[in-house]
Amino acid sequence: MSPAIGLVSYTESEREDGHEQSKYQRGVKHLCESGITRVPSKYVLPAQERPNIKKEISERNMSNGRRNISLPIIDFAELQGSNRSKALKNLSNACEEFGFFQVVNHGISIEIIRHMMDVSRRFFELPFEERSKYMTSDMRSPARYGTSFNQNKDGVFCWRDFLKLICPPSSNALSLWPTSPSNLRQAVVSYSTETRFLFTMLMEAVLECLGLIETSKNNYSDEEEFTLKDFGDGSQLMVINCYPACPEPELTLGMPPHSDYGFLTLLLQDEVEGLQIQNRGKWVTVEPIPHSFVVNVGDHLEIFSNGKYKSVLHRVLVNSTKSRISVASLHSMSFEQVIRPSPKLIDEHNPRRYMDTDFTSFLNYASTCEPKRKNFLESRKLAV
């Protein structure tokens, strides 16, 4: 082969590689709409990182479903009623032992929940040309349609598309949200308002569990009021996830093992199983309870509690027959606010374990590294 022919061949190869990368950047939904029957190599995990789906199904059948986990259930009505002390004890145990729990009787209407799930499904059913209007690699964008976990850094892509929306009052970017489906903005505003209130009430309870406030008093101190206001006025990131049916689910994941960056994440999911948490060294599937919320401790709460409550690794499986939709509402203090361990939870017996952090630190880390597992949190730990 002559050098000239070899050069042409190399250039064509580069062009093909660029075309392939561009195809994957358009998302899994676009890939599936093209009629694929195999998982492209871009999504195939190393053997040791793949889910052992056949083994899990076999073990679950042999143990009558015991490989699924029933998370602790927090009855929000009890938390607001005369049984609050018992509910607080259950909440503290759930945060300390599991890092996950499910909230029932939360007061958010079924109509608002159904409306939110409906517009979420319909957004991903829009033509690619409409969805792609919101595609950007800017992680600070108030409305961002994307794919994988961190498509700017992922070596292997995961089987997931998403729409991320920064919600009021932490953003004035409502006018930049998608206009299709026509009722999406209205649905997200209603849903985000309700979940923000639920988060604030749950954080009030968490603060009481940590001994930082006393709701039994008639009035809060100025410091306690200020802390509660920080959460009520804090940041809220809505992440709408779509996990299309996958022709070879044993080769990939919808989301890799990771923890969430905020204080609490409130997850709404459809009836399709997929969420797994790491419990006692094993991956176990969370059984969805209709119209409930799965709530998990985030990295910021682990830092704020000085390690008393720890964020927990979780991942998402996909399947070959059904698409799955979930809506994660991630809550923290404002994007500008510094997160640090509460001074009241530091003493000579329990020294400070984490350095200060903020949202910018997280974004800078995510833009330079491939965020896996709890790597960001590990980078904020102090040597004790």
Side-chain angles (χ1 to χ4, degrees), residues 263-300:
F263 273 79
L264 293 176
T265 298
L266 280 59
L267 179 73
L268 178 67
Q269 51 186 338
D270 61 18
E271 73 285 352
V272 181
E273 288 184 355
L275 175 64
Q276 289 195 318
I277 69 171
Q278 196 169 69
N279 183 256
R280 298 176 183 175
K282 294 184 177 181
W283 288 107
V284 287
T285 300
V286 174
E287 294 184 7
I289 299 176
H291 311 307
S292 72
F293 288 93
V294 174
V295 181
N296 64 278
V297 171
D299 293 345
H300 287 177

Side-chain angles (χ1 to χ4, degrees), residues 297-309:
V297 171
D299 293 345
H300 287 177
L301 181 51
E302 178 169 336
I303 292 171
F304 182 79
S305 69
N306 203 33
K308 181 175 175 65
Y309 298 155

Side-chain angles (χ1 to χ4, degrees), residues 91 95 201-211 264 301 309:
L91 176 62
C95 289
M201 293 297 99
L202 288 173
M203 275 308 304
E204 181 182 58
V206 167
L207 293 175
E208 187 169 359
C209 289
L210 291 170
L264 293 176
L301 181 51
Y309 298 155

